[in-house]
Amino acid sequence: MKNPKKSAASVFLSVEKDQSLSLCAETLTYSAEEKRRMVREKDVCWEYAEKLDGNKVRCKFCQRVLNGGISRLKHHLSRLPSKGVNPCSKVRDDVTDRVRTIIASKEEVKETSSGKKQKLVEVKSPGNVSASKALMSFDTPTPIQKVFPNVTPMVPPPLNNLENAERNIALFFFENKLDFSIARSSSYQLMIDAIEKCGPGFIGPSAETLKTTWLERIKSEMSLQSKDIEKEWTTTGCTIIADTWTDNKSRALINFLVSSPSRTFFHKSVDASAYFKNTKCLADLFDSVIQDFGPENVVQIIMDSSFNYTGVANHILQNYATIFVSPCASQCLNLILEEFSKVDWVNRCILQAQTISKFIYNNASMLDLMKKFTGGQELIRTGITKSVSNFLSLQSMLKQRSRLKHMFNSPEYCTNSSYANKTQSISCISIVEDNDFWRAVEESVAISEPFLKVLREVSGGKPSVGFIYELMTRAKESIRTYYIMDENKCKTFLDIVDRKWRDQLHSPLHAAAAFLNPGIQYNPEIKFLTSIKEDFFKVLEKLLPMPEMRRDITSQIFTFTKATGMFGCSLAMEARDVVPPGLWWEQYGDSAPVLQRVAIRILSQVCSSFMFERHWSAFQQIHSEKRNKIDRETLNDLVYINYNLKLARQTRTKTLEADPIQFDDIDMTSEWVEESDNPSPTQWLDRFGSALDGSDLNTRQFNAAIFGSNDHIFGL
């Protein structure tokens, strides 16, 4: 071997005992301690720290003093709590990523070095010790081996890195009984990507760290996000949503959320079981929530009919001059659909359809056969309420009509004795071949689809208060068009709509929003009813209580209605039906500044809470799981984070083709599947997601009349 050029620190050492090589080493110029100090001082991470006396360093970001030198500083900057060092709260993300890369590379070097040492031990094992026995000291017993030491552990087949990673993720899901739908979560892939960046040797946070450090930190991050959104309230105002729910322990829980155009945030949950029927206590509770957001910022409060509605609403209206109390538009629409489903012939149609679905979904071979004929598509759908599920499932079944008929007449079905000769089978065949049944399905879909469309519009979490009047009127017009030759049926369903509108939905704020919506105001086909104008003026008097505040309001209303000034410019006219009404007023309403401020506040509000009710199942899980029998503060923090993460996800994905009124999975305990009186635990099946388009329906072309340009609207 040719010796390299000598250096002050060069050393050559051979460890092979059976070879007679001499030890050759130069005299060291520096001591070992001095060498280590020089290496430490060259560490790139020193630019983020100040060296103090002894082995102490001060972080330049948070000014915290650490014992242990540069190594402790690295773990401090990496923000990895499992390393036993308090993570830095002010370090930049790019610095954290850089430090984590440095740590990961050193861990990899250590792992490689450790592997070489292990190979040396194997080579040097005494002859009377087997190679397998020599390796035993390096294997850590698995949890299964600790509990059942005599059981042979499951040995996985040889896998590549990708397969091995997927296998271990699958084991994590199976061992902890996790719902497979978790893999659809946006944070699922983010977690995997973040772990991959840390490299080998990353140790996940402990249960205690999750419960304390990270729970508090993520809650603080979300609170800061909500503070940023509060800045827009001075312009747009906000809506407080009070959502009630009774859990499986008969507790009356109230969720409070705050919504504005940019985002909706979960505020808190209150257990009101002890005073749910006490108006005074509920009024005090609402007072405290209003004060949390500032009365000057709150435009309206949406609450459902499960409250002592009249008493609480009167208290708010009497004590807060500029706040409106509004019903939930989605709840009203759901009640309309519920009344539709109670009409005799509609109810009979639903029960017959459920006979078919129950027969198919409670027989594994029948379910496989159905999937074969439908191309893997499900026959039914699960909506956000029972009545929505009924009409969505009828839509789906109507779409599959020809395939169902083909299935029940196929040789695969007729020759299978396991189900072809059953009593339920005979009933199903009779229903499928009954033309009167399918006519009833077509008719049920025709009368429900216009209101399902309205429900979709108001349940998406976007400001929709300016559209509810128009949408409801057009839905009514579609029923008039469909039943143009059947006055009795037309009256039956329109009476239901009018009664629920009058009792459940009508609000002066909705009328004012319709009047201020440029897409409606400038539509030549629209003639406003006197009652709508009256409601609009009442709203102005409420929001502009002082005479000096509304001195010029009459001339500004004239400027708006006649489209003069900026209202009449080409850009404003082109944007009337394209830009959201609140944004349109912000851009083109300068010619009427007082009316502009009022219009933006009104048109920036939601009119429904159904988007947020979708999270009750997760909320119930947090409240009821045994693992979460923890202190109330921690429980509230967990609910706060979970709810806001889901709301943030909906905000990011609301532009996608997601149906806000139906779930991704089928409820296997619903009346469309479950046969027994005692439902089994919920099971979920994947199903196709897109809603049935109206063009797929062959029912008097009713859909063409839903938004016809020649129909007079605002006949409510």
Side-chain angles (χ1 to χ4, degrees), residues 33 35-43 46 70:
E33 180 59 30
K35 284 204 307 174
R36 285 193 292 269
R37 179 178 57 79
M38 291 175 62
V39 171
R40 285 199 302 267
E41 290 179 351
K42 290 181 180 180
D43 198 302
W46 277 113
I70 194 65

Side-chain angles (χ1 to χ4, degrees), residues 145-161:
Q145 289 175 318
K146 291 179 180 178
V147 180
F148 304 105
N150 295 326
V151 176
T152 303
M154 178 178 63
V155 180
L159 301 174
N160 59 38
N161 290 339

Side-chain angles (χ1 to χ4, degrees), residues 80-127:
L80 298 175
S82 60
K83 298 298 183 181
V85 183
N86 288 325
C88 183
S89 58
K90 298 182 180 180
V91 63
R92 300 194 310 269
D93 289 342
D94 61 311
V95 175
T96 296
D97 292 340
R98 182 184 184 188
V99 175
R100 288 184 177 182
T101 302
I102 293 171
I103 294 175
S105 62
K106 290 192 175 183
E107 293 287 345
E108 190 172 350
V109 170
K110 289 181 181 179
E111 192 174 277
T112 304
S113 176
S114 176
K116 291 180 179 179
K117 289 180 180 179
Q118 182 175 330
K119 288 182 179 180
L120 285 174
V121 173
E122 292 178 29
V123 172
K124 294 176 62 178
S125 297

Side-chain angles (χ1 to χ4, degrees), residues 52-67:
L52 303 178
D53 293 337
N55 203 25
K56 296 181 179 180
V57 295
R58 177 182 287 116
C59 174
K60 289 185 178 180
F61 295 101
C62 67
Q63 304 304 313
R64 180 187 291 272
V65 176
L66 303 170
N67 289 318

Side-chain angles (χ1 to χ4, degrees), residues 415-580:
T415 58
N416 194 322
S417 59
S418 64
Y419 43 72
N421 298 324
K422 289 186 176 181
T423 305
Q424 302 98 310
S425 173
I426 298 172
S427 299
C428 289
I429 293 175
S430 175
I431 294 171
V432 168
E433 297 297 331
D434 185 0
N435 290 331
D436 289 339
F437 164 73
W438 289 111
R439 277 193 291 270
V441 173
E442 290 177 350
E443 199 169 335
S444 298
V445 170
I447 62 171
S448 63
E449 175 59 15
F451 294 94
L452 290 174
K453 286 190 174 184
V454 180
L455 189 58
R456 288 186 179 96
E457 287 296 320
V458 301
S459 298
K462 60 184 179 181
S464 54
V465 70
F467 300 97
I468 184 65
Y469 255 84
E470 180 186 13
L471 292 170
M472 287 294 293
T473 303
R474 293 191 176 189
K476 287 181 63 176
E477 286 300 313
S478 71
I479 290 183
R480 291 191 183 99
T481 303
Y482 187 78
Y483 284 125
I484 194 170
M485 303 298 291
D486 195 332
E487 185 177 346
N488 289 333
K489 281 190 174 181
C490 181
K491 185 177 185 305
T492 297
F493 291 104
L494 288 183
D495 283 349
I496 292 173
V497 177
D498 288 339
R499 186 172 66 254
K500 294 301 179 183
W501 172 273
R502 181 180 63 251
D503 298 341
Q504 298 284 337
L505 186 55
H506 177 266
S507 168
L509 196 67
H510 298 161
F515 189 88
L516 292 167
N517 186 342
I520 298 173
Q521 177 66 231
Y522 300 122
N523 188 334
E525 300 295 328
I526 293 173
K527 182 179 180 180
F528 286 103
L529 298 178
T530 302
S531 60
I532 293 179
K533 289 185 178 180
E534 290 176 350
D535 283 341
F536 169 62
F537 295 139
K538 288 178 182 177
V539 170
L540 286 182
E541 291 175 3
K542 186 177 177 71
L543 294 179
L544 303 172
M546 307 300 292
E548 58 269 21
M549 297 175 67
R550 51 179 185 263
R551 182 177 297 115
D552 299 326
I553 198 66
T554 301
S555 61
Q556 293 185 20
I557 294 173
F558 183 83
T559 302
F560 165 58
T561 55
K562 298 304 180 182
T564 59
M566 289 184 65
F567 294 118
C569 73
S570 298
L571 289 175
M573 290 189 291
E574 293 168 0
R576 288 171 181 172
D577 298 309
V578 180
V579 176

Side-chain angles (χ1 to χ4, degrees), residues 638-699:
L638 188 58
V639 170
Y640 178 85
I641 292 172
N642 180 269
Y643 213 134
N644 280 313
L645 283 173
K646 290 179 181 295
L647 289 174
R649 181 186 178 188
Q650 282 183 278
T651 301
R652 290 193 301 269
T653 60
K654 66 183 179 182
T655 56
L656 303 179
E657 296 181 1
D659 192 340
I661 66 172
Q662 69 174 334
F663 292 109
D664 295 329
D665 303 295
I666 291 177
D667 181 1
M668 298 300 289
T669 64
S670 74
E671 294 180 349
W672 287 83
V673 177
E674 186 60 57
E675 288 184 322
S676 62
D677 294 333
N678 298 318
S680 61
T682 301
Q683 300 172 355
W684 301 95
L685 295 173
D686 291 331
R687 61 189 177 87
F688 71 104
S690 60
L692 175 61
D693 188 4
S695 60
D696 291 333
L697 306 177
N698 186 17
T699 57

